[in-house]
Amino acid sequence: MRTRRGVCYPKVNMCIENRLVVKRRKDISGIGEHMGRRKRSKLSPEFTAHKPDLFDSLPDDLLLSILCKLSSSAASPADFINVLITCKRLNGLGHHSLVLSKASPKMLAVKAQNWSESAHRFLKQCADAGNVDACYTLGMIRFYCLQNRGSGASLMAKAAISSHAPSLYSLAVIQFNGSGGSKNDKDLRAGVALCARAAFLGHIDALRELGHCLQDGYGVKQNIVEGRRFLVQANARELATVLSTTPSALTSGGWLTWNPLPHHRHPVAGTGCPLLSDFGCNVPAPESHPANRFLTEWFSSEGGVPGSGLRLCSHVGCGRPETRRHEFRRCSVCGTVNYCSRACQALDWKMRHKAECTPVERWIDEEGENDGNVNGENGFGNGDDDDQIMMES
């Protein structure tokens, strides 16, 4: 539209639209700048800088010392495994030979139902690291369960060289019975020597076995007085062990109660009651080694039969099986139980068999053959000699 002078009027709508477009552009640019600032704030060093973890700054020597204390005091394998799965660094340091060499017997207490190649490999790593308990546990498993006699015996011998008392006693039992070989492979002198070494290191069962050997002249020159002295010491050590592991027994007094069995209900000279389990005191059974518990669980899962015509030691805390027929000796009175050693016979007599043993004229094995006799090598006494020893002491 033109004026009289021919000048065109400005287009109002166009101006308004231009202003709106410019305003929108400013708004969009403002939003873009604001969004840019947000992005820059996210990428700022204040938020993105990596803060070093204090755990990563700890030296490996300190962590190894902590893991060594943990492995030596772990109450079960799960306690140690839960630490290893925490992070990759602990998992790597946990397999260090120094840590594995300090592992306690409870940390190595593998259950038979959880036995696998990984468990076998872990015990082998601990044994290679110089852990004597791992050598003994894996040696017992290989010798009796996996029937790898040579490897199992060598592992137990490796632990025995390091003065491991349970390994010395287990090797003594193998020598007494000729386990893994024939009856002619028995070496009674070697068994007595191993028992003496284990007894010197404080092994109660070895001391009890040595006392019976001296009293019976089994593998050593007979010395009844010295044998009885060792048997008294074994019972005293057993009682001291119970009191040291369960201090509550000192205050409860229940273990002092004398409850003699029917065939022992006769007057006793002197006042008071004996303080040993031979006369019915409520002394609990000693805790068996994890290796013996593994043997018990292993053969229990197979129906309690280690093989055709083979038997298990009747002492519940042992678990040792026969490696050949008639390897273990039966009770010479009832013939229903058999034991790998006199120590197991004495313990089972006090804890269980004393109340069950009933004399019979003769006993026949499964195939109808007479298995053992009262005075022969295959027969064990009924345990009354231990009671008489304690009565005289």
Side-chain angles (χ1 to χ4, degrees):
M1 188 175 184
R2 297 179 180 274
T3 61
R4 292 179 180 179
R5 297 180 179 180
V7 181
C8 294
Y9 288 105
K11 296 181 179 181
V12 179
N13 294 334
M14 292 294 295
C15 294
I16 294 173
E17 289 177 2
N18 291 336
R19 289 177 182 176
L20 291 174
V21 171
V22 172
K23 188 175 182 180
R24 287 175 182 173
R25 287 177 180 175
K26 289 181 179 180
D27 294 341
I28 293 172
S29 63
I31 293 173
E33 292 176 358
H34 184 62
M35 291 178 66
R37 286 195 298 270
R38 283 184 179 177
K39 290 181 180 179
R40 283 193 297 270
S41 64
K42 289 182 180 180
L43 299 176
S44 61
E46 182 181 356
F47 296 96
T48 59
H50 176 68
K51 294 183 178 180
D53 193 354
L54 295 177
F55 176 74
D56 295 334
S57 63
L58 294 175
D60 290 346
D61 295 342
L62 179 60
L63 292 179
L64 285 175
S65 177
I66 295 173
L67 290 174
C68 286
K69 291 184 178 294
L70 176 64
S71 64
S72 62
S73 60
S76 64
D79 293 344
F80 189 70
I81 294 175
N82 290 334
V83 176
L84 297 185
I85 64 178
T86 303
C87 68
K88 190 177 294 184
R89 188 184 181 193
L90 287 178
N91 191 11
L93 294 176
H95 289 85
H96 195 276
S97 59
L98 184 62
V99 178
L100 297 179
S101 64
K102 303 292 184 181
S104 63
K106 291 184 178 180
M107 200 195 90
L108 303 172
V110 181
K111 292 185 178 181
Q113 59 184 2
N114 299 330
W115 181 252
S116 61
E117 285 297 329
S118 60
H120 194 172
R121 187 166 53 252
F122 176 72
L123 287 177
K124 182 66 167 58
Q125 290 178 353
C126 294
D128 293 339
N131 191 304
V132 291
D133 288 304
C135 291
Y136 171 64
T137 301
L138 185 58
M140 291 280 285
I141 293 173
R142 285 185 177 181
F143 189 89
Y144 289 108
C145 300
L146 305 181
Q147 297 184 4
N148 191 347
R149 313 293 187 193
S151 177
S154 63
L155 282 172
M156 285 188 279
K158 180 181 177 181
I161 293 173
S162 301
S163 299
H164 188 251
S167 298
L168 289 165
Y169 176 68
S170 293
L171 290 175
V173 174
I174 291 175
Q175 295 295 333
F176 281 136
N177 297 320
S179 301
S182 64
K183 185 177 180 180
N184 297 327
D185 293 328
K186 294 181 180 181
D187 193 343
L188 304 184
R189 288 179 174 272
V192 171
L194 290 168
C195 267
R197 178 60 179 168
F200 175 77
L201 295 173
H203 199 274
I204 298 176
D205 290 342
L207 182 61
R208 183 177 284 114
E209 184 76 22
L210 183 61
H212 284 296
C213 289
L214 285 170
Q215 187 178 11
D216 301 336
Y218 191 70
V220 68
K221 185 178 179 180
Q222 188 176 20
N223 190 336
I224 297 177
V225 176
E226 192 72 8
R228 292 188 176 189
R229 186 173 68 86
F230 284 162
L231 291 176
V232 172
Q233 288 183 3
N235 284 279
R237 286 187 185 181
E238 178 187 9
L239 183 63
T241 302
V242 171
L243 296 181
S244 62
T245 54
T246 56
S248 59
L250 290 171
T251 57
S252 62
W255 59 278
L256 284 172
T257 305
W258 186 27
N259 299 316
L261 294 167
H263 59 282
H264 275 161
R265 296 180 186 275
H266 52 75
V268 180
T271 58
C273 66
L275 303 181
L276 299 171
S277 56
D278 296 86
F279 295 108
C281 295
N282 299 323
V283 177
E287 184 179 2
S288 58
H289 194 276
N292 297 98
R293 292 200 298 269
F294 184 94
L295 296 182
T296 303
E297 295 172 1
W298 180 276
F299 292 109
S300 296
S301 62
E302 298 182 358
V305 180
S308 177
L310 302 180
R311 305 166 296 187
L312 290 173
C313 180
S314 298
H315 178 41
V316 293
C318 179
R320 289 182 178 87
E322 289 182 324
T323 59
R324 68 176 186 279
R325 286 177 53 83
H326 307 317
E327 177 182 341
F328 296 163
R329 292 179 290 176
R330 286 187 173 182
C331 176
S332 61
V333 177
C334 64
T336 59
V337 293
N338 44 265
Y339 304 100
C340 65
S341 62
R342 287 295 300 266
C344 285
Q345 184 266 342
L347 284 174
D348 192 61
W349 173 259
K350 292 186 295 184
M351 301 300 174
R352 180 184 63 88
H353 189 55
K354 183 187 291 187
E356 302 173 356
C357 186
T358 55
V360 293
E361 294 183 0
R362 65 175 182 173
W363 26 274
I364 307 298
D365 65 356
E366 291 80 0
E367 297 181 358
E369 299 177 356
N370 188 7
D371 182 23
N373 52 73
V374 176
N375 298 321
E377 184 183 355
N378 292 333
F380 269 136
N382 60 5
D384 286 333
D385 53 347
D386 293 338
D387 295 342
Q388 185 64 28
I389 289 168
M390 296 314 304
M391 186 74 70
E392 293 177 359
S393 63

